[in-house]
């Protein structure tokens, strides 16, 4: 019995139509690295393809990637079903895939390999990665944060902060906690990154504690208290956490404001301004008395809501 063995690497140079080439390679066994090499070559000057061709290649790869994810989800659902239900349900035929290129493959073997090549214009690389993200989104595939990180790295290295701001403002780069943390790390080179990161964390409603931690780390105590109040959580936060940060700031006005905030909370919750023993705030009460006088603790009326505006 005769067998024909195709040399896939040779076919790469024989087929000029990259979309047609990818369609063919997806049907072959052991073609993953060849496909990834084709993708990499299409980004390198001398063999570089147009963005429209690259977009069609991405769509072709991600269509298969999506079907693979759907099949994997179906298998997981079938496996978790009980034996009785499985015995009466029709069997789902699994889809056989000769090759699947996922996001990790694309990042490891293509994008990370060419992103630092100086002969490739950064604008082209940004456009390519955004196109890949667009393709993933069109197939409703969750984009991994490392793809966003490559885009941000390219923009920051080339001082394209305005474009970065637009990408975040118009959600070209989707909100995520890793992305917010990355933006926080860029504050020293782009100060608005702090507020962009904070806004992102606010939109991620499951990370309220992270927002408070971020604000405290930046000594933004008043904004942190405003945030807690706006979310109805000011009664649950430990006073000691804020009083310690205010005392360490060396700003007496800030310490006074934070102290009076929690003193008024005590009045609202326990009908008296003193801190409970369980609050462990004795040293901060003593500090307040030494700075402003003992009578200030209970007698001076301060409009805390006004101070937090």
């Amino acid at each position: 019995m005769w067998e024909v063995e195709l040399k896939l690497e040779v076919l790469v140079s024989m087929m000029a139509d990259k979309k047609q080439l990818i369609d063919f390679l997806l049907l072959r066994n052991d073609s993953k690295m060849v496909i990834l090499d084709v993708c990499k070559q299409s980004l390198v000057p001398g063999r570089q393809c147009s963005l429209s061709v690259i977009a069609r290649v991405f769509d072709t790869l991600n269509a298969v990637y999506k079907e693979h994810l759907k099949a994997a989800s179906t298998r997981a659902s079938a496996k978790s079903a009980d034996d009785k239900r499985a015995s009466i349900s029709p069997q789902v035929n699994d889809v056989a895939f000769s090759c699947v290129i996922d996001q990790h493959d694309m990042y490891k073997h293509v994008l990370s390999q060419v992103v630092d090549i100086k002969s490739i214009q950064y604008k082209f690389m940004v456009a390519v990665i955004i196109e890949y993200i667009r393709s993933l989104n069109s197939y409703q595939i969750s984009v991994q944060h490392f793809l966003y990180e490559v885009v941000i790295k390219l923009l920051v290295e080339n001082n394209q902060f305005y474009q970065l701001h637009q990408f975040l403002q118009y959600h070209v780069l989707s909100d995520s906690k890793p992305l917010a943390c990355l933006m926080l790390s860029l504050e020293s080179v782009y100060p608005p990154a702090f507020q962009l990161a904070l806004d992102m964390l606010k939109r991620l409603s499951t990370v309220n504690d992270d927002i408070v931690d971020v604000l405290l780390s930046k000594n933004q105590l008043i904004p942190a208290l405003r945030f807690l109040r706006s979310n109805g959580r000011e009664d649950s936060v430990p006073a000691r956490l804020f009083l310690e940060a205010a005392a360490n700031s060396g700003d007496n006005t800030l310490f006074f404001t934070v102290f009076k905030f929690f003193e008024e909370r005590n009045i609202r919750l326990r009908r008296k301004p003193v801190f409970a023993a369980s609050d462990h705030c004795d040293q901060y009460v003593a500090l307040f008395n030494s700075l402003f006088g003992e009578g200030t603790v209970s007698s001076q009326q301060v409009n805390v809501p006004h101070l937090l505006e």
Side-chain angles (χ1 to χ4, degrees), residues 213-284:
D213 290 341
V214 167
L215 290 171
L216 287 175
S217 71
K218 297 294 183 180
N219 204 36
Q220 299 289 314
L221 304 185
I222 300 304
L225 290 175
R226 288 197 196 105
F227 176 77
L228 289 168
R229 172 168 284 175
S230 68
N231 287 273
R233 300 176 59 233
E234 71 269 28
D235 291 346
S236 61
V237 68
R240 180 183 175 87
L241 180 67
F242 280 81
L243 291 173
E244 180 180 12
N248 291 337
S249 72
D251 185 337
N252 291 343
T253 302
L254 177 62
F255 179 70
F256 180 90
T257 303
V258 172
F259 190 95
K260 296 302 292 185
F261 175 89
F262 286 103
E263 187 185 61
E264 289 199 4
R265 187 184 75 169
N266 293 340
I267 294 173
R268 186 175 67 256
L269 296 179
R270 296 193 289 268
R271 298 185 179 181
K272 53 185 179 180
V274 297
F275 290 89
S278 59
D279 291 332
H280 304 292
C281 292
D282 291 348
Q283 71 183 94
Y284 303 111

Side-chain angles (χ1 to χ4, degrees), residues 68-80 92-94:
H68 168 73
L69 293 175
K70 288 169 61 177
S73 177
T74 300
R75 288 196 302 270
S77 299
K79 187 175 181 180
S80 63
V92 179
N93 292 324
D94 194 9

